[in-house]
Amino acid sequence: MSYIGHGLSHAVFGGAVVSYVMSINFYIGASLWGLLSALLVQFTTKRRSISADAAIGIVTTASFAVGIAIISHHKSFTRSFDAALFGSVLGVTSGDLVAILFVAVSVAAAVIAGYKYLLFTTFDPDAAGTFGVPVGWVDAFFALALAATVVVSMQVVGVTMLAAAIVIPPVIARQHTHSFGRVLALSTGIGAICGSAGVYASYYADISSGAAVVLVSSALFVFSMVYTSARSHLTGARARARREAQKAGEG
Amino acid sequence: MTAGYGGTTAITNVSLAIYPEDFTALLGPSGAGKTTLLRAIVGGADIYAGEVLYKGVSIKKRQPRTGYVPQLETIDWNFPVTVTEAVLMGRIRSARFLPWFSRSDRDGAFEIMSRLGIADLANRQIRALSGGQQHRVFLARALVSDPEVLLLDEPTAGVDVKTRDDILHLLDELNHQGIAIVMATHEINAVAAHLPWVVCVNRCIIAEGPPREVFTPEMLRRTYGAEMPVTEFGGITMVAETPHFYGQRRDGAPGSADSGANGNAHDRGHHHAHGHPAELAGRPPGQRT
């Protein structure tokens, strides 16, 4: 389901364009659009013949296409959507910062409060329902939190880069722990470090902030993979050496 | 009760009673509706007609304490979750509004894990376990919810004979401690050896009773749509495999490999009266040994 972050970031672009055309507040319009897209994905996957990845691909690409179609149809489109697509830290206003802070605090508080329910629903949704977990509500909350995160991050990272920025930190964290709680804490820290380092790098290297954040995250991922592979190789070699020494001792 | 998913009916006119001391197997071919029946009891399937009752009251109003163990093939084994985290999920109903599990939840989980012999695996990721240990983790998750009824979907699938035997003895032990157990399974002979009561399912209930009474060629043909020879071994009714005689014609001649699968839907009778609600209640004493 990591593909949902990728898909939703593209879907929200359609909502951003529609909000602009209809003169609706960007945060409200794009968040609602993202929420509806995520719920539509969930509704579609309830039909057992359609897999989650296929549903995400269909719904979110169609949503992205709506945005592109509107931009291409209105030749006189004055607003540049480059920042929304690729991210531009220079375009971030104090209002954007307040929105980012509000979403970050709200989502963190809600994830902590609903941790048990989120974990059970994400891990084993079929059984969660039988243990009294309101799976539908938990799914809807997850969709809303993800949509809100994508919307407020768009200006800084851009929709095309956002998916990697969302997915890479937990993937790195997953290489270092098997516990869901630790993956959650570690990936939050890794995301914050990669985000800060990427934004600084984009300023000094004069490149798009979204690309810089993703490149820093990717570099850390490669480093992490090399480190964990080397560690696993070393542990195996030590175990083999111990066994051989034991055999030699017995002989 | 008639139930299914998304408008598609999986079981029709099923009437089944589960009693506190029950240790029951649901048998039937793949797609017979065993999982749907289990899930309907725990509120995980769509019910189109009838209802599930607990001590005479609809489960919508009064829910029994149920522990559900799903088929393990539905589990994402790469998910970052340790044995302790997986088992603690069963305590989700306790301290509903606290974001974390309490000390008593953790103690309860540890006690169950110790009882099932998986306490020393507490910090392992669930993929790094053997098949039998994985089954025990999900059994522990169901048990920490302190269930009155334990519903298991193929709890012995994919494990070796020794592990299967261990699991069935463990379930028998739990049953003797007062937990009613209903399990869907394909292990006909293990059911014959371990379980006192069996329910044959194929879209409806074909038959139910002690294995000795239910395991007849006629009932098995109606359940599985195939000829299945029945034999006796050590006082236990067993269902024999149809041997495959290599190099012989499959034309039904004596000794050939043709099993003569000829059952069809028209042969299936309904053992139960239709339209009665499935019920979790108290079986009159002395009916089962």
Side-chain angles (χ1 to χ4, degrees):
Chain A
M1 280 298 280
S2 52
Y3 194 45
I4 186 74
H6 177 92
L8 212 55
S9 60
H10 282 69
V12 161
F13 178 75
V17 176
V18 169
S19 304
Y20 178 72
V21 170
M22 296 179 72
S23 303
I24 300 169
N25 178 285
F26 161 75
Y27 288 116
I28 295 172
S31 296
L32 277 176
W33 188 280
L35 175 65
L36 285 175
S37 302
L39 292 178
L40 199 56
V41 167
Q42 283 170 11
F43 176 76
T44 310
T45 50
K46 291 230 182 322
R47 297 175 67 88
R48 293 179 170 225
S49 55
I50 301 173
S51 72
D53 286 354
I56 292 166
I58 294 164
V59 172
T60 60
T61 314
S63 183
F64 185 68
V66 169
I68 298 292
I70 292 172
I71 290 174
S72 59
H73 181 70
H74 291 270
K75 304 288 183 203
S76 57
F77 224 88
T78 51
R79 180 169 170 160
S80 165
F81 276 90
D82 282 0
L85 284 169
F86 307 110
S88 168
V89 74
L90 297 175
V92 175
T93 64
S94 52
D96 293 333
L97 282 177
V98 170
I100 290 171
L101 192 67
F102 174 74
V103 169
V105 172
S106 309
V107 170
V111 166
I112 291 169
Y115 174 77
K116 292 190 293 192
Y117 297 92
L118 278 166
L119 172 59
F120 205 166
T121 305
T122 316
F123 173 58
D124 190 358
D126 276 356
T130 68
F131 279 82
V133 176
V135 175
W137 286 107
V138 175
D139 279 344
F141 159 74
F142 180 71
L144 179 64
L146 193 57
T149 306
V150 166
V151 168
V152 297
S153 311
M154 256 175 85
Q155 186 67 36
V156 182
V157 189
V159 292
T160 51
M161 302 290 161
L162 195 53
I166 289 174
V167 171
I168 295 174
V171 171
I172 297 172
R174 179 69 186 86
Q175 291 178 307
H176 298 276
T177 178
H178 297 310
S179 157
F180 185 77
R182 280 187 225 122
V183 165
L184 208 59
L186 201 56
S187 60
T188 306
I190 291 169
I193 291 167
C194 291
S196 310
V199 168
Y200 270 104
S202 79
Y203 177 75
Y204 288 108
D206 193 22
I207 54 173
S208 140
S209 52
V213 170
V214 172
L215 286 174
V216 169
S217 307
S218 304
L220 191 62
F221 168 71
V222 170
F223 173 77
S224 167
M225 215 166 74
V226 169
Y227 170 76
T228 47
S229 301
R231 190 180 57 185
S232 146
H233 186 73
L234 206 63
T235 310
R238 276 187 191 148
R240 274 195 301 277
R242 228 184 351 260
R243 274 198 303 273
E244 276 166 21
Q246 210 170 4
K247 267 187 198 167
E250 283 167 7
Chain B
M1 176 180 66
T2 295
Y5 306 98
T8 308
T9 302
I11 47 171
T12 308
N13 292 326
V14 166
S15 181
L16 174 71
I18 301 165
Y19 298 92
E21 74 275 23
D22 274 6
F23 188 10
T24 300
L26 302 181
L27 279 176
S30 299
K34 302 184 295 294
T35 299
T36 306
L37 180 52
L38 288 180
R39 290 183 59 81
I41 294 170
V42 289
D46 300 332
I47 294 177
Y48 304 124
E51 58 184 328
V52 180
L53 303 176
Y54 172 57
K55 293 182 179 171
V57 180
S58 168
I59 59 161
K60 288 175 188 160
K61 292 178 185 161
R62 184 181 178 190
Q63 287 202 326
R65 295 195 314 275
T66 50
Y68 177 64
V69 181
Q71 282 181 32
L72 296 197
E73 65 183 36
T74 64
I75 302 296
D76 175 5
W77 296 105
N78 286 322
F79 196 91
V81 68
T82 62
V83 168
T84 304
E85 285 173 328
V87 173
L88 274 170
M89 288 176 199
R91 297 289 282 197
I92 197 113
R93 290 192 190 101
S94 74
R96 233 170 230 280
F97 300 106
L98 276 181
W100 51 81
F101 292 103
S102 66
R103 169 56 56 192
S104 71
D105 289 335
R106 289 179 182 282
D107 290 346
F110 186 77
E111 189 193 321
I112 297 288
M113 287 194 292
S114 303
R115 200 161 131 202
L116 300 190
I118 52 171
D120 54 336
L121 308 170
N123 294 319
R124 289 247 195 115
Q125 200 261 343
I126 51 167
R127 190 186 187 86
L129 305 173
S130 69
Q133 290 165 341
Q134 288 172 339
H135 278 282
R136 281 164 191 265
V137 170
F138 288 89
L139 183 56
R141 184 179 75 178
L143 288 175
V144 291
S145 63
D146 188 23
E148 296 165 89
V149 188
L150 194 55
L151 300 128
L152 307 103
D153 202 349
E154 298 190 24
T156 54
V159 296
D160 59 67
V161 177
K162 166 76 171 63
T163 308
R164 185 187 71 189
D165 204 52
D166 287 348
I167 291 173
L168 289 171
H169 277 109
L170 180 65
L171 292 176
D172 184 56
E173 209 177 288
L174 293 168
N175 178 241
H176 278 86
Q177 289 163 11
I179 300 173
I181 293 174
V182 183
M183 55 180 267
T185 182
H186 288 291
E187 311 267 8
I188 300 182
N189 289 331
V191 166
H194 292 271
L195 273 70
W197 201 259
V198 57
V199 179
C200 291
V201 182
N202 195 344
R203 302 274 173 182
C204 60
I205 291 180
I206 306 289
E208 70 169 305
R212 178 179 284 274
E213 290 171 21
V214 171
F215 288 173
T216 62
E218 168 61 10
M219 284 302 173
L220 293 170
R221 188 180 59 75
R222 284 170 57 187
T223 304
Y224 289 93
E227 295 303 331
M228 299 173 83
V230 174
T231 183
E232 287 273 330
F233 179 78
I236 299 171
T237 307
M238 309 289 277
V239 179
E241 297 281 328
T242 307
H244 187 110
F245 296 99
Y246 291 97
Q248 292 192 20
R249 288 162 51 209
R250 295 176 57 86
D251 58 0
S256 87
D258 192 343
S259 63
N262 58 359
N264 58 50
H266 299 294
D267 291 326
R268 293 174 193 145
H270 291 184
H271 181 73
H272 286 260
H274 292 182
H276 289 190
E279 184 165 8
L280 308 171
R283 184 182 295 282
Q287 220 177 333
R288 179 88 47 94
T289 52

PDB file of all heavy atoms in Angstrom, chain B residues 116-137:
ATOM      1  N   LEU B 116       1.509 -20.866  25.563  1.00  0.00           N
ATOM      2  CA  LEU B 116       1.593 -21.468  24.227  1.00  0.00           C
ATOM      3  C   LEU B 116       3.039 -21.719  23.800  1.00  0.00           C
ATOM      4  O   LEU B 116       3.296 -22.115  22.658  1.00  0.00           O
ATOM      5  CB  LEU B 116       0.895 -20.572  23.195  1.00  0.00           C
ATOM      6  CG  LEU B 116      -0.594 -20.297  23.404  1.00  0.00           C
ATOM      7  CD1 LEU B 116      -1.191 -19.608  22.191  1.00  0.00           C
ATOM      8  CD2 LEU B 116      -1.374 -21.583  23.665  1.00  0.00           C
ATOM      9  N   GLY B 117       3.975 -21.427  24.685  1.00  0.00           N
ATOM     10  CA  GLY B 117       5.384 -21.716  24.398  1.00  0.00           C
ATOM     11  C   GLY B 117       6.030 -20.779  23.401  1.00  0.00           C
ATOM     12  O   GLY B 117       6.955 -21.168  22.676  1.00  0.00           O
ATOM     13  N   ILE B 118       5.568 -19.535  23.332  1.00  0.00           N
ATOM     14  CA  ILE B 118       6.183 -18.582  22.388  1.00  0.00           C
ATOM     15  C   ILE B 118       6.704 -17.336  23.105  1.00  0.00           C
ATOM     16  O   ILE B 118       7.053 -16.352  22.451  1.00  0.00           O
ATOM     17  CB  ILE B 118       5.204 -18.165  21.259  1.00  0.00           C
ATOM     18  CG1 ILE B 118       3.868 -17.669  21.847  1.00  0.00           C
ATOM     19  CG2 ILE B 118       4.987 -19.292  20.270  1.00  0.00           C
ATOM     20  CD1 ILE B 118       2.946 -17.045  20.822  1.00  0.00           C
ATOM     21  N   ALA B 119       6.785 -17.379  24.449  1.00  0.00           N
ATOM     22  CA  ALA B 119       7.229 -16.197  25.197  1.00  0.00           C
ATOM     23  C   ALA B 119       8.671 -15.808  24.856  1.00  0.00           C
ATOM     24  O   ALA B 119       9.005 -14.625  24.804  1.00  0.00           O
ATOM     25  CB  ALA B 119       7.093 -16.439  26.692  1.00  0.00           C
ATOM     26  N   ASP B 120       9.503 -16.817  24.584  1.00  0.00           N
ATOM     27  CA  ASP B 120      10.907 -16.497  24.267  1.00  0.00           C
ATOM     28  C   ASP B 120      11.071 -15.946  22.847  1.00  0.00           C
ATOM     29  O   ASP B 120      12.170 -15.564  22.449  1.00  0.00           O
ATOM     30  CB  ASP B 120      11.796 -17.726  24.486  1.00  0.00           C
ATOM     31  CG  ASP B 120      11.287 -18.944  23.713  1.00  0.00           C
ATOM     32  OD1 ASP B 120      10.076 -18.979  23.414  1.00  0.00           O
ATOM     33  OD2 ASP B 120      12.087 -19.831  23.398  1.00  0.00           O
ATOM     34  N   LEU B 121       9.984 -15.911  22.096  1.00  0.00           N
ATOM     35  CA  LEU B 121      10.040 -15.351  20.733  1.00  0.00           C
ATOM     36  C   LEU B 121       9.425 -13.950  20.697  1.00  0.00           C
ATOM     37  O   LEU B 121       9.192 -13.394  19.627  1.00  0.00           O
ATOM     38  CB  LEU B 121       9.249 -16.249  19.767  1.00  0.00           C
ATOM     39  CG  LEU B 121       9.606 -17.739  19.769  1.00  0.00           C
ATOM     40  CD1 LEU B 121       8.590 -18.527  18.959  1.00  0.00           C
ATOM     41  CD2 LEU B 121      11.006 -17.938  19.195  1.00  0.00           C
ATOM     42  N   ALA B 122       9.172 -13.378  21.876  1.00  0.00           N
ATOM     43  CA  ALA B 122       8.391 -12.139  21.992  1.00  0.00           C
ATOM     44  C   ALA B 122       8.857 -11.001  21.087  1.00  0.00           C
ATOM     45  O   ALA B 122       8.033 -10.271  20.534  1.00  0.00           O
ATOM     46  CB  ALA B 122       8.399 -11.682  23.443  1.00  0.00           C
ATOM     47  N   ASN B 123      10.178 -10.859  20.916  1.00  0.00           N
ATOM     48  CA  ASN B 123      10.677  -9.715  20.135  1.00  0.00           C
ATOM     49  C   ASN B 123      11.018 -10.070  18.699  1.00  0.00           C
ATOM     50  O   ASN B 123      11.595  -9.263  17.982  1.00  0.00           O
ATOM     51  CB  ASN B 123      11.906  -9.105  20.825  1.00  0.00           C
ATOM     52  CG  ASN B 123      11.516  -8.500  22.154  1.00  0.00           C
ATOM     53  OD1 ASN B 123      10.475  -7.856  22.267  1.00  0.00           O
ATOM     54  ND2 ASN B 123      12.319  -8.744  23.180  1.00  0.00           N
ATOM     55  N   ARG B 124      10.687 -11.298  18.294  1.00  0.00           N
ATOM     56  CA  ARG B 124      10.963 -11.704  16.903  1.00  0.00           C
ATOM     57  C   ARG B 124       9.908 -11.138  15.961  1.00  0.00           C
ATOM     58  O   ARG B 124       8.735 -11.011  16.321  1.00  0.00           O
ATOM     59  CB  ARG B 124      10.901 -13.223  16.788  1.00  0.00           C
ATOM     60  CG  ARG B 124      12.047 -13.918  17.441  1.00  0.00           C
ATOM     61  CD  ARG B 124      12.915 -14.600  16.380  1.00  0.00           C
ATOM     62  NE  ARG B 124      13.795 -15.530  17.044  1.00  0.00           N
ATOM     63  CZ  ARG B 124      13.716 -16.841  16.860  1.00  0.00           C
ATOM     64  NH1 ARG B 124      12.823 -17.341  16.044  1.00  0.00           N
ATOM     65  NH2 ARG B 124      14.551 -17.636  17.477  1.00  0.00           N
ATOM     66  N   GLN B 125      10.330 -10.843  14.734  1.00  0.00           N
ATOM     67  CA  GLN B 125       9.369 -10.443  13.712  1.00  0.00           C
ATOM     68  C   GLN B 125       8.596 -11.704  13.295  1.00  0.00           C
ATOM     69  O   GLN B 125       9.187 -12.800  13.283  1.00  0.00           O
ATOM     70  CB  GLN B 125      10.116  -9.835  12.514  1.00  0.00           C
ATOM     71  CG  GLN B 125       9.250  -8.970  11.612  1.00  0.00           C
ATOM     72  CD  GLN B 125       8.777  -9.713  10.384  1.00  0.00           C
ATOM     73  OE1 GLN B 125       9.330 -10.739  10.036  1.00  0.00           O
ATOM     74  NE2 GLN B 125       7.747  -9.212   9.738  1.00  0.00           N
ATOM     75  N   ILE B 126       7.334 -11.591  12.968  1.00  0.00           N
ATOM     76  CA  ILE B 126       6.491 -12.772  12.765  1.00  0.00           C
ATOM     77  C   ILE B 126       6.947 -13.666  11.606  1.00  0.00           C
ATOM     78  O   ILE B 126       6.640 -14.844  11.605  1.00  0.00           O
ATOM     79  CB  ILE B 126       5.015 -12.377  12.571  1.00  0.00           C
ATOM     80  CG1 ILE B 126       4.876 -11.301  11.500  1.00  0.00           C
ATOM     81  CG2 ILE B 126       4.388 -11.936  13.886  1.00  0.00           C
ATOM     82  CD1 ILE B 126       3.441 -11.097  11.054  1.00  0.00           C
ATOM     83  N   ARG B 127       7.679 -13.095  10.654  1.00  0.00           N
ATOM     84  CA  ARG B 127       8.136 -13.923   9.536  1.00  0.00           C
ATOM     85  C   ARG B 127       9.227 -14.908   9.982  1.00  0.00           C
ATOM     86  O   ARG B 127       9.382 -15.979   9.406  1.00  0.00           O
ATOM     87  CB  ARG B 127       8.690 -13.015   8.430  1.00  0.00           C
ATOM     88  CG  ARG B 127       8.959 -13.744   7.150  1.00  0.00           C
ATOM     89  CD  ARG B 127       9.647 -12.861   6.129  1.00  0.00           C
ATOM     90  NE  ARG B 127       9.742 -13.565   4.865  1.00  0.00           N
ATOM     91  CZ  ARG B 127       8.802 -13.593   3.951  1.00  0.00           C
ATOM     92  NH1 ARG B 127       7.703 -12.918   4.139  1.00  0.00           N
ATOM     93  NH2 ARG B 127       8.940 -14.271   2.843  1.00  0.00           N
ATOM     94  N   ALA B 128       9.973 -14.489  11.026  1.00  0.00           N
ATOM     95  CA  ALA B 128      11.117 -15.301  11.472  1.00  0.00           C
ATOM     96  C   ALA B 128      10.678 -16.433  12.404  1.00  0.00           C
ATOM     97  O   ALA B 128      11.400 -16.780  13.342  1.00  0.00           O
ATOM     98  CB  ALA B 128      12.123 -14.391  12.173  1.00  0.00           C
ATOM     99  N   LEU B 129       9.498 -17.001  12.154  1.00  0.00           N
ATOM    100  CA  LEU B 129       8.977 -18.090  12.993  1.00  0.00           C
ATOM    101  C   LEU B 129       8.644 -19.286  12.112  1.00  0.00           C
ATOM    102  O   LEU B 129       8.424 -19.132  10.908  1.00  0.00           O
ATOM    103  CB  LEU B 129       7.688 -17.639  13.704  1.00  0.00           C
ATOM    104  CG  LEU B 129       7.734 -16.366  14.545  1.00  0.00           C
ATOM    105  CD1 LEU B 129       6.325 -16.017  14.998  1.00  0.00           C
ATOM    106  CD2 LEU B 129       8.642 -16.543  15.749  1.00  0.00           C
ATOM    107  N   SER B 130       8.589 -20.447  12.726  1.00  0.00           N
ATOM    108  CA  SER B 130       8.167 -21.639  11.973  1.00  0.00           C
ATOM    109  C   SER B 130       6.641 -21.582  11.787  1.00  0.00           C
ATOM    110  O   SER B 130       5.963 -20.782  12.451  1.00  0.00           O
ATOM    111  CB  SER B 130       8.544 -22.895  12.750  1.00  0.00           C
ATOM    112  OG  SER B 130       7.745 -22.978  13.915  1.00  0.00           O
ATOM    113  N   GLY B 131       6.125 -22.448  10.922  1.00  0.00           N
ATOM    114  CA  GLY B 131       4.682 -22.465  10.675  1.00  0.00           C
ATOM    115  C   GLY B 131       3.868 -22.682  11.952  1.00  0.00           C
ATOM    116  O   GLY B 131       2.878 -22.004  12.204  1.00  0.00           O
ATOM    117  N   GLY B 132       4.329 -23.625  12.779  1.00  0.00           N
ATOM    118  CA  GLY B 132       3.614 -23.920  14.032  1.00  0.00           C
ATOM    119  C   GLY B 132       3.642 -22.738  14.983  1.00  0.00           C
ATOM    120  O   GLY B 132       2.636 -22.431  15.642  1.00  0.00           O
ATOM    121  N   GLN B 133       4.793 -22.059  15.049  1.00  0.00           N
ATOM    122  CA  GLN B 133       4.901 -20.883  15.934  1.00  0.00           C
ATOM    123  C   GLN B 133       3.996 -19.752  15.439  1.00  0.00           C
ATOM    124  O   GLN B 133       3.366 -19.052  16.235  1.00  0.00           O
ATOM    125  CB  GLN B 133       6.360 -20.414  15.988  1.00  0.00           C
ATOM    126  CG  GLN B 133       7.279 -21.371  16.741  1.00  0.00           C
ATOM    127  CD  GLN B 133       8.750 -21.101  16.480  1.00  0.00           C
ATOM    128  OE1 GLN B 133       9.124 -20.453  15.508  1.00  0.00           O
ATOM    129  NE2 GLN B 133       9.597 -21.608  17.365  1.00  0.00           N
ATOM    130  N   GLN B 134       3.929 -19.599  14.108  1.00  0.00           N
ATOM    131  CA  GLN B 134       3.053 -18.553  13.553  1.00  0.00           C
ATOM    132  C   GLN B 134       1.595 -18.831  13.917  1.00  0.00           C
ATOM    133  O   GLN B 134       0.857 -17.917  14.293  1.00  0.00           O
ATOM    134  CB  GLN B 134       3.230 -18.481  12.030  1.00  0.00           C
ATOM    135  CG  GLN B 134       4.568 -17.870  11.629  1.00  0.00           C
ATOM    136  CD  GLN B 134       4.844 -17.969  10.145  1.00  0.00           C
ATOM    137  OE1 GLN B 134       4.270 -18.786   9.445  1.00  0.00           O
ATOM    138  NE2 GLN B 134       5.755 -17.134   9.659  1.00  0.00           N
ATOM    139  N   HIS B 135       1.194 -20.098  13.831  1.00  0.00           N
ATOM    140  CA  HIS B 135      -0.177 -20.451  14.218  1.00  0.00           C
ATOM    141  C   HIS B 135      -0.418 -20.111  15.684  1.00  0.00           C
ATOM    142  O   HIS B 135      -1.471 -19.611  16.060  1.00  0.00           O
ATOM    143  CB  HIS B 135      -0.429 -21.944  13.976  1.00  0.00           C
ATOM    144  CG  HIS B 135      -0.776 -22.255  12.552  1.00  0.00           C
ATOM    145  ND1 HIS B 135      -2.018 -22.029  12.031  1.00  0.00           N
ATOM    146  CD2 HIS B 135      -0.034 -22.772  11.545  1.00  0.00           C
ATOM    147  CE1 HIS B 135      -2.033 -22.396  10.757  1.00  0.00           C
ATOM    148  NE2 HIS B 135      -0.837 -22.848  10.439  1.00  0.00           N
ATOM    149  N   ARG B 136       0.588 -20.374  16.531  1.00  0.00           N
ATOM    150  CA  ARG B 136       0.445 -20.108  17.962  1.00  0.00           C
ATOM    151  C   ARG B 136       0.331 -18.615  18.247  1.00  0.00           C
ATOM    152  O   ARG B 136      -0.374 -18.207  19.169  1.00  0.00           O
ATOM    153  CB  ARG B 136       1.637 -20.688  18.727  1.00  0.00           C
ATOM    154  CG  ARG B 136       1.511 -22.165  18.938  1.00  0.00           C
ATOM    155  CD  ARG B 136       2.824 -22.796  19.340  1.00  0.00           C
ATOM    156  NE  ARG B 136       2.717 -24.243  19.278  1.00  0.00           N
ATOM    157  CZ  ARG B 136       2.424 -25.011  20.322  1.00  0.00           C
ATOM    158  NH1 ARG B 136       2.250 -24.486  21.495  1.00  0.00           N
ATOM    159  NH2 ARG B 136       2.322 -26.316  20.181  1.00  0.00           N
ATOM    160  N   VAL B 137       1.032 -17.787  17.462  1.00  0.00           N
ATOM    161  CA  VAL B 137       0.952 -16.332  17.662  1.00  0.00           C
ATOM    162  C   VAL B 137      -0.490 -15.860  17.471  1.00  0.00           C
ATOM    163  O   VAL B 137      -1.033 -15.109  18.291  1.00  0.00           O
ATOM    164  CB  VAL B 137       1.894 -15.586  16.682  1.00  0.00           C
ATOM    165  CG1 VAL B 137       1.627 -14.084  16.706  1.00  0.00           C
ATOM    166  CG2 VAL B 137       3.350 -15.863  17.030  1.00  0.00           C
TER     167      VAL B 137
END
